[in-house]
Amino acid sequence: MNAPFEPLLRTLMNTGDIDPEETAEWREALLSLIGSQGPERARQILDELAIVARQQRTGWQPELNTPYMNTIAVDEQPVFPGDLATEERLVAIMRWNALAMVVRANQAYGELGGHIASYASVADLFETGFHHFFHARTEQHKGDLVFFQPHSAPGVYARAFLEGRLSEADLMHYRQEITAPDSGARGLSSYPHPWLMPDFWQFPTGSMGLGPISSIYHARFMRYLTHRQLQDCSARKVWGVFGDGEMDEPESMSALTLAAREKLDNLVWVVNCNLQRLDGPVRGNSRIIDELEKLFAGAGWNVIKLVWGSDWDGLLARDTSGALLRAFANTVDGQMQTFAAKDGRYNRDNFFGQNEELARLAQGMTDEQIDRLKRGGHDIVKIHAAYASAAAHRGQPTVILAHTKKGFGMGSAGQGKMTTHSQKKFDEQDLIDYRNRFDLPLSDEQAKGLAFYKPADDSAEMRYLREHRTRLGGSLPKRETTCDRLPVPALGSYGQFALQADGKEMSTTMAYVRMLGNLLKDPQLGPRIVPIVADEARTFGMANLFKQVGIYSSVGQRYAPEDIGSVLSYREATDGQILEEGISEAGAIASWTAAATSYSVHGLAMLPFYIYYSMFGFQRVGDAIWAAADQRARGFLLGATSGRTTLGGEGLQHQDGSSHLVAATIPNCKAYDPAFAGELAVILDAGMREMVEQQADVFYYVTLMNENYAQPDLPAGVEADVLRGGYRFGVYGPSDAAQRVTLLGSGAILTEVVKAAQLLAAQGVGVEVLSITSWSELARDGMALERLADAVPAAGAGVGHLASLLSATQGPIIAATDYVRAVPECVRASVPEGRRYRTLGTDGFGRSDTRAALRRFFAVDAQSIAQAALRALAA
């Protein structure tokens, strides 16, 4: 019998076996097959037997769980290529400096927060990657993408300190970004924030769950770039280090099958299974590693379990009866956490003391040796073996489930304790104990004073640190922004039909699709455009693009589509340009973010256009959009079928009355609600030039309608006003009218405003209509002038754009939109003194009915607008 397999197979045997002798014969046969013909032949036989079992309806299928032990056996581990002692000294130094940074900040201020325990658990996982696997960008290698567990940011700062990228003064200003410059230091952001530290952090991961889904779509986008021959990403990896508690976020799990389906073997996740969330165990009454193994294996991932450190190898080898495996199988995570929090004596009595077999295994071990038994995620040799296996694996994404202790090394101050996530204070003895635990070269006074430690520049540790990062291309994380500037074609070459529409009926969605099709034909900009949809291309009239540029598929098209004879038939191709993401707005926005940050991540400017039902944008994936803003995304979000009344018949969940309200909260998002194709053309042109010519870190949110109506020519000379947020659209009624009113409208409701103006003109009222293309840009313009006046009183208040437009009009002002009234209310401060300002909107929930009925219901139809104006005149 093959000795290494014997205890495992005995453990897996059914204890209620009715014929143990026959079972033994089957077991011997399998082991003989493995010994004589190897594991591959054994797998073939087992697969065949599984097929037979299913055909015979036995109700059995193989378990997705493997025993609670390392996937990579001792004899399969590669030779460790580094200096283990030096790496352990370096990680100990980084642990200390990370701890000192957080504790110092909270001793000084007591309110800054920060985390120690998360990095304590993940430090070895980070450092093994830094020393051996994480490539930085060079001329020869475009660099790996690394998503860092956000609560462990202090550890990344601690490494940057040793590398000379951060100073001691910087470390002393952790979470003090506003006050740090006064001391000549750089404040360090709480979590990875590219907006706040634009040369340092590459990916924002602080909103848990967004890092995992983003990493998947970044890995897929790298394949997209390679297949479209825009950039060869074949040698690059995406590494993500995430928490086990984070896996409960829906976004963490939502794209696992996509990663497997696309065979993203350029993707490696390391899930730090320290078993604890903020308040308690991730799975107190079961095992999170078992649960995640089933989940990832079932989704089609390669799963590597990194459970036990090297100190357990001897115990497992001596465990001929399977006692250890049975004990592991019967120990839930809540109890495992208790073992982590207790000392060697407790673990001898309560773990190894469960039965005589376990007790015999612990014989000869001191309590300190038992206390020092490492979990796999703290053993650099085991971690390297897992990483090397993951990096070499082909055909599947890989997840490494790394078993760690939260607060590792914090002893009685926090290791494995329920409160450890929030532990930010250490007494003097705790600091001394921590220093001793990791054998740090600090005096008692230095330890108690939380002195930062940096070895001499010519020390073995510092030479080792530099040499390994030099071999891998330099320091990480590092954000770069150098990329080529893309020329944008003249507006008339792709949008003349919109500028001079001559009364033709079309929707703004139709106008957008036509302009996009024309832009895709441009030889320079066209290949860099990334059209993105979430299973709605036909809804938006984009089916003609299927033929023109194709839908991206990593395997091409292996079938004849049902509509193959149609001019607009569905076409997939490996060099397809459209990213059709299925029914997943979370996936589509992650895909958009990957394209919108390509200028930084890949040094290659791309321009994504993601079109979707506007209700399924900011309200549904707003957190992901905010993360994209943090990452300084550049691209277009197009909220189609926007407004609460334009999508007739659909009702509550599909009708958007608030997206512009949310968009206005994002500082680098420019939001527009154009009513006409000409306005849209000007906005798209300006956005493209701002993002790919001027390379500004902004993105545009533009709402579109599916309602067809006559499109007027864009008045000459109003382009700048369109971009500032509004322009003078038209004047109605007698020029010498005694009663005058000003009407403001945007998007779908501007046509109702124009009809209302005509109704009022017929009653002898003079009306001026302003087309408001962006309420939020007008509001920002007004607030900017207020801030200037506050900062420089001598400069005066100035006149904002809307105030300037309104100063040339008379009478009460009525503003109507297809959104909640809070949208037009945001510009009230710009209304000239003495003028009445009345807002009309679609507050409340949506309804299902015709457009006319909906607008009448919400009182934003022409008749209601006219009546509101007359009431204001009579007041």
Side-chain angles (χ1 to χ4, degrees):
M1 181 175 285
N2 190 325
F5 287 92
E6 184 176 359
L8 168 60
L9 291 174
R10 285 179 178 169
T11 300
L12 297 178
M13 285 173 56
N14 184 346
T15 55
D17 195 340
I18 61 172
D19 192 342
E21 186 175 342
E22 181 183 31
T23 302
E25 291 174 358
W26 279 94
R27 184 172 68 250
E28 293 286 356
L30 176 60
L31 292 172
S32 175
L33 178 66
I34 294 170
S36 61
Q37 299 188 47
E40 185 175 352
R41 178 56 177 159
R43 286 195 295 270
Q44 291 175 344
I45 295 298
L46 290 170
D47 286 342
E48 183 64 27
L49 291 174
I51 292 170
V52 172
R54 284 195 294 271
Q55 289 174 341
Q56 296 301 312
R57 301 174 185 247
T58 62
W60 173 89
Q61 62 183 18
E63 273 284 342
L64 291 174
N65 272 136
T66 59
Y68 205 68
M69 60 190 298
N70 295 339
T71 300
I72 300 172
V74 177
D75 57 359
E76 294 173 344
Q77 289 178 196
V79 175
F80 181 66
D83 184 321
L84 181 59
T86 302
E87 291 193 26
E88 287 182 338
R89 287 197 299 273
L90 280 167
V91 75
I93 293 167
M94 289 170 202
R95 288 180 193 277
W96 172 262
N97 286 335
L99 177 147
M101 187 189 327
V102 176
V103 177
R104 269 178 172 270
N106 284 279
Q107 279 186 350
Y109 298 99
E111 61 184 89
L112 293 175
H115 302 277
I116 300 169
S118 292
Y119 179 66
S121 68
V122 85
D124 300 291
L125 298 171
F126 275 13
E127 287 304 309
T128 304
F130 277 126
H131 286 309
H132 302 284
F133 294 95
F134 300 162
H135 285 267
R137 188 189 301 181
T138 64
E139 291 281 332
Q140 296 75 34
H141 194 293
K142 287 294 183 180
D144 293 333
L145 282 55
V146 186
F147 290 74
F148 292 97
Q149 190 175 5
H151 293 92
S152 300
V156 182
Y157 295 140
R159 165 170 270 269
F161 169 60
L162 291 195
E163 292 175 330
R165 300 173 67 196
L166 298 176
S167 68
E168 185 170 315
D170 297 333
L171 264 58
M172 292 179 70
H173 287 84
Y174 171 61
R175 293 193 171 196
Q176 299 164 65
E177 297 166 75
I178 297 171
T179 55
D182 295 337
S183 302
R186 175 179 191 170
L188 305 181
S189 63
S190 54
Y191 304 122
H193 288 302
W195 189 268
L196 299 173
M197 298 181 69
D199 62 339
F200 193 92
W201 292 114
Q202 194 171 44
F203 302 108
T205 53
S207 188
M208 289 192 290
L210 298 188
I213 190 172
S214 184
S215 71
I216 290 173
Y217 280 88
H218 271 285
R220 202 278 299 267
F221 190 71
M222 288 163 66
R223 288 287 174 81
Y224 173 87
L225 293 177
T226 300
H227 286 152
R228 292 194 56 221
Q229 299 182 12
L230 294 171
Q231 185 179 99
D232 183 4
C233 300
S234 57
R236 303 166 66 193
K237 292 282 187 185
V238 178
W239 296 83
V241 184
F242 309 117
D244 49 356
E246 186 174 6
M247 294 299 105
D248 284 344
E249 291 283 4
E251 292 89 350
S252 296
M253 299 288 103
S254 63
L256 295 187
T257 53
L258 173 119
R261 185 169 67 247
E262 295 290 310
K263 296 180 170 55
L264 297 180
D265 52 21
N266 60 342
L267 176 66
V268 180
W269 280 13
V270 182
V271 180
N272 176 25
C273 297
N274 61 31
L275 313 185
Q276 191 172 327
R277 298 189 301 240
L278 276 68
D279 294 334
V282 175
R283 295 291 184 275
N285 297 301
S286 59
R287 285 179 297 280
I288 187 62
I289 289 178
D290 284 350
E291 181 179 320
L292 293 178
E293 180 183 24
K294 282 185 179 181
L295 184 66
F296 281 93
W301 287 51
N302 172 45
V303 180
I304 297 175
K305 289 165 75 170
L306 175 59
V307 186
W308 304 114
S310 300
D311 293 338
W312 289 90
D313 289 340
L315 293 172
L316 287 163
R318 298 200 307 271
D319 179 27
T320 57
S321 68
L324 265 180
L325 291 179
R326 286 193 297 274
F328 293 154
N330 292 321
T331 304
V332 295
D333 283 355
Q335 186 61 49
M336 196 69 76
Q337 181 189 2
T338 301
F339 290 145
K342 302 296 184 180
D343 60 15
R345 168 54 60 181
Y346 180 91
N347 282 284
R348 179 190 298 280
D349 294 341
N350 292 277
F351 180 75
F352 289 103
Q354 294 180 66
N355 55 59
E356 290 185 8
E357 294 169 300
L358 288 175
R360 279 196 298 270
L361 287 175
Q363 282 178 356
M365 297 179 69
T366 66
D367 289 347
E368 184 179 5
Q369 287 174 319
I370 292 175
D371 193 44
R372 293 297 182 95
L373 285 170
K374 287 182 179 178
R375 296 181 181 178
H378 300 306
D379 188 310
I380 292 171
V381 173
K382 296 288 188 184
I383 296 168
H384 180 273
Y387 283 16
S389 176
H393 189 77
R394 295 293 175 264
Q396 294 171 289
T398 294
V399 62
I400 298 169
L401 303 176
H403 194 196
T404 65
K405 293 180 181 179
K406 192 156 188 176
F408 177 67
M410 290 169 64
S412 60
Q415 179 173 287
K417 292 184 178 294
M418 293 290 189
T419 57
T420 191
H421 186 82
S422 301
Q423 183 70 29
K424 301 168 186 66
K425 297 180 180 179
F426 281 64
D427 62 30
E428 291 185 348
Q429 188 57 50
D430 290 332
L431 294 170
I432 296 293
D433 291 345
Y434 196 88
R435 180 214 48 195
N436 294 342
R437 171 67 178 81
F438 292 106
D439 196 22
L440 291 156
L442 297 168
S443 68
D444 287 357
E445 291 307 310
Q446 287 174 319
K448 290 186 286 187
L450 293 164
F452 293 118
Y453 178 71
K454 188 175 185 179
D457 200 50
D458 62 349
S459 66
E461 292 87 353
M462 294 298 282
R463 290 198 306 272
Y464 190 91
L465 186 82
R466 289 192 298 269
E467 288 168 5
H468 278 71
R469 283 317 310 166
T470 299
R471 192 177 304 142
L472 290 168
S475 296
L476 280 177
K478 184 179 181 181
R479 183 177 179 273
E480 302 179 53
T481 57
T482 302
C483 71
D484 50 334
R485 296 178 186 273
L486 293 177
V488 176
L491 175 54
S493 68
Y494 65 89
Q496 192 63 32
F497 75 93
L499 298 173
Q500 296 179 338
D502 196 28
K504 292 186 178 69
E505 285 205 356
M506 70 180 89
S507 67
T508 51
T509 297
M510 188 186 304
Y512 156 72
V513 173
R514 185 172 170 184
M515 282 187 273
L516 179 64
N518 291 339
L519 285 167
L520 286 165
K521 296 172 185 175
D522 183 78
Q524 291 180 285
L525 181 63
R528 303 292 188 91
I529 290 174
V530 185
I532 301 173
V533 291
D535 196 45
E536 293 156 341
R538 294 187 193 275
T539 302
F540 302 136
M542 295 175 64
N544 61 308
L545 298 182
F546 295 167
K547 282 284 189 182
Q548 182 179 338
V549 295
I551 299 163
Y552 171 70
S553 166
S554 60
V555 297
Q557 192 161 25
R558 296 175 172 176
Y559 61 94
E562 171 274 329
D563 58 354
I564 194 169
S566 166
V567 176
L568 304 179
S569 65
Y570 200 78
R571 184 175 76 88
E572 300 185 70
T574 52
D575 62 350
Q577 200 160 345
I578 301 169
L579 291 175
E580 213 281 6
E581 302 298 2
I583 305 175
S584 173
E585 286 81 8
I589 197 65
S591 198
W592 179 84
T593 302
T597 57
S598 176
Y599 74 93
S600 170
V601 175
H602 308 294
L604 183 74
M606 302 294 287
L607 187 61
F609 290 79
Y610 169 33
I611 184 171
Y612 55 90
Y613 274 31
S614 68
M615 189 61 177
F616 305 146
F618 287 90
Q619 299 89 331
R620 187 164 191 155
V621 291
D623 195 15
I625 296 174
W626 185 264
D630 187 352
Q631 203 174 328
R632 296 173 174 256
R634 301 173 184 171
F636 288 94
L637 296 175
L638 299 131
T641 63
S642 66
R644 189 150 280 164
T645 68
T646 188
L647 189 58
E650 288 284 354
L652 176 62
Q653 296 289 52
H654 286 63
Q655 293 173 343
D656 164 30
S658 55
S659 66
H660 275 283
L661 206 58
V662 186
T665 66
I666 301 179
N668 54 337
C669 174
K670 293 189 174 183
Y672 289 92
D673 185 31
F676 299 122
E679 298 170 355
L680 173 63
V682 168
I683 292 164
L684 293 181
D685 182 71
M688 289 189 290
R689 295 185 190 283
E690 189 171 11
M691 289 184 277
V692 301
E693 285 189 343
Q694 302 167 28
Q695 297 194 349
D697 293 344
V698 298
F699 65 97
Y700 278 50
Y701 174 58
V702 185
T703 42
L704 306 173
M705 279 74 69
N706 65 341
E707 181 179 0
N708 292 324
Y709 44 76
Q711 299 285 339
D713 293 350
L714 186 73
V718 302
E719 291 83 358
D721 284 356
V722 166
L723 298 174
R724 293 188 70 180
Y727 66 96
R728 187 182 186 190
F729 178 78
V731 179
Y732 303 84
S735 58
D736 59 349
Q739 289 187 308
R740 307 198 67 81
V741 69
T742 304
L743 302 183
L744 279 57
S746 70
I749 299 303
L750 182 58
T751 57
E752 298 293 330
V753 167
V754 171
K755 292 175 188 175
Q758 293 166 345
L759 291 173
L760 291 166
Q763 298 181 53
V765 178
V767 186
E768 182 128 17
V769 173
L770 302 185
S771 175
I772 304 301
T773 52
S774 176
W775 300 97
S776 55
E777 286 300 296
L778 289 174
R780 287 173 179 175
D781 176 67
M783 287 188 288
L785 286 171
E786 285 184 12
R787 285 194 297 269
L788 178 62
D790 291 340
V792 189
V799 179
H801 181 57
L802 180 59
S804 177
L805 288 172
L806 291 175
S807 68
T809 68
Q810 299 177 33
I813 303 163
I814 310 299
T817 77
D818 214 9
Y819 299 89
V820 294
R821 292 177 55 213
V823 173
E825 282 289 338
C826 72
V827 302
R828 182 176 287 276
S830 294
V831 175
E833 289 187 21
R835 302 277 297 275
R836 291 179 61 83
Y837 183 62
R838 172 82 187 279
T839 57
L840 304 177
T842 54
D843 291 60
F845 288 119
R847 300 289 192 279
S848 298
D849 216 306
T850 63
R851 290 191 185 107
L854 289 168
R855 288 169 184 169
R856 189 164 56 249
F857 174 82
F858 286 111
V860 291
D861 62 329
Q863 190 68 38
S864 299
I865 296 168
Q867 289 173 355
L870 292 172
R871 285 195 296 271
L873 286 167

